[in-house]
Amino acid sequence: MFRVDNPHTKPVPFWEWLIREVRSEHPDVIFLAEAFTRPSMMTTLAKIGFAQSYTYFTWKNTKAELLEYVQQLIAWHQFYRPNAFVNTPDILHEYLQLGGPPAFEARLVLAGTLSPSYGIYSGYESFENVPVQPGSEEYLDSEKYEVRERALDGPLLPLVQRLNEARRAEPALQRVENIRWLETENDQLIAYAKENVICVVNLDPFSEQEGSCVIPVSLGFPPAFDARDLLNDASFTWRAGRNYVKLGPGKAHFLKVLA
């Protein structure tokens, strides 16, 4: 796999030639475009051979922003495969700087359930969130300028493991165009279904939030159904219509419909 920095600043015919030549001998090679640029260029790079692309997910933190972001991905789904990175060496969003561990948890679950592919940059699993200065998205101790010794021992790793296990087990999470938005009656709660998986996330990293997750009859679930939370194995009985939800700061339901 090659992560290509700023491919949009190089001629498109060059990438067409390079990707074609490499894949003629090594067809399994993945080219990931780190292309934060105009939509027309992002889609062009996808069409000429970049198998995955960074997205603007890192900056999409409110419910309205996330709805707009996913609708764009759906419109591109036939040729564009997104990779939702929660952070990058250059992007430590204010949401993470101020929200602490609950913000990290919420963004992790959103990335892993909204997008077929997602990524975390070193330090995320340890809640690293100190900027170089107020108002900056640069890390204070950036690995761009110093060597860091790393160990896979961050407190977020158990949640990463559960999320990845669920992603491997549930084919519905390996697509983006199958999302159905669900009403929550609270803009701090975002909810969506992907076939037989239901996700509800509290976007507020500071406060507990409550609302209703409305399951439309059109989803085809039974009038009442059992569900298991894939993050903590809790069991619930939900039904078509309104279901009361209360989630702590940054917490989420990640439900597999059982019947």
Side-chain angles (χ1 to χ4, degrees):
M1 180 173 180
F2 291 97
R3 173 198 175 276
V4 181
D5 195 87
N6 288 345
H8 52 285
T9 62
K10 314 301 183 295
V12 169
F14 167 75
W15 295 121
E16 286 187 287
W17 168 80
L18 177 66
I19 294 172
R20 182 177 63 250
E21 290 294 304
V22 171
R23 287 196 176 143
S24 68
E25 296 187 29
H26 306 283
D28 293 334
V29 170
I30 293 173
F31 286 85
L32 168 63
E34 191 261 0
F36 296 116
T37 184
R38 303 181 310 279
S40 60
M41 178 56 76
M42 294 172 73
T43 55
T44 295
L45 292 169
K47 291 175 180 178
I48 59 93
F50 278 89
Q52 294 186 22
S53 177
Y54 275 52
T55 72
Y56 282 94
F57 172 77
T58 321
W59 291 281
K60 307 300 184 182
N61 293 276
T62 68
K63 187 173 186 175
E65 290 169 342
L66 288 165
L67 294 177
E68 181 183 39
Y69 159 77
V70 173
Q71 289 309 114
Q72 185 178 64
L73 297 184
I74 292 173
W76 295 350
H77 82 271
Q78 292 184 333
F79 53 84
Y80 183 91
R81 188 170 179 84
N83 196 316
F85 269 80
V86 291
N87 64 331
T88 80
D90 304 295
I91 308 168
L92 172 65
H93 194 275
E94 182 182 47
Y95 182 85
L96 298 176
Q97 295 178 29
L98 302 179
F104 282 72
E105 292 185 20
R107 296 295 293 171
L108 175 69
V109 173
L110 287 168
T113 55
L114 287 173
S115 177
S117 301
Y118 82 101
I120 61 176
Y121 167 64
S122 296
Y124 192 89
E125 72 281 1
S126 299
F127 307 130
E128 292 185 6
N129 67 341
V130 181
V132 66
Q133 61 186 19
S136 173
E137 291 185 340
E138 291 273 356
Y139 284 84
L140 174 61
D141 299 311
S142 174
E143 288 184 307
K144 294 193 299 181
Y145 310 114
E146 62 181 274
V147 175
R148 302 284 300 280
E149 291 189 10
R150 295 290 189 182
L152 284 176
D153 57 0
L156 193 59
L157 288 177
L159 180 60
V160 174
Q161 179 180 358
R162 294 300 296 268
L163 177 63
N164 287 343
E165 289 171 348
R167 283 168 50 83
R168 285 192 291 270
E170 302 302 328
L173 298 176
Q174 298 164 21
R175 297 163 55 198
V176 68
E177 79 281 2
N178 60 346
I179 193 168
R180 290 285 303 274
W181 298 112
L182 306 175
E183 178 56 54
T184 60
E185 302 175 350
N186 180 344
D187 282 344
Q188 290 295 338
L189 297 175
I190 189 168
Y192 42 95
K194 286 190 170 185
E195 300 173 19
N196 61 347
V197 176
I198 299 169
C199 297
V200 189
V201 182
N202 180 4
L203 302 176
D204 186 346
F206 305 108
S207 303
E208 182 178 78
Q209 295 288 338
E210 56 187 323
S212 294
C213 182
V214 180
I215 304 297
V217 174
S218 60
L219 287 182
F221 298 152
F225 56 89
D226 294 327
R228 178 172 65 90
D229 197 315
L230 299 178
L231 297 181
N232 56 25
D233 288 327
S235 296
F236 299 90
T237 298
W238 277 30
R239 55 187 50 82
R242 299 170 77 251
N243 297 271
Y244 175 73
V245 174
K246 180 167 69 173
L247 291 168
K251 297 299 183 182
H253 282 319
F254 186 2
L255 304 179
K256 169 69 176 291
V257 177
L258 301 178

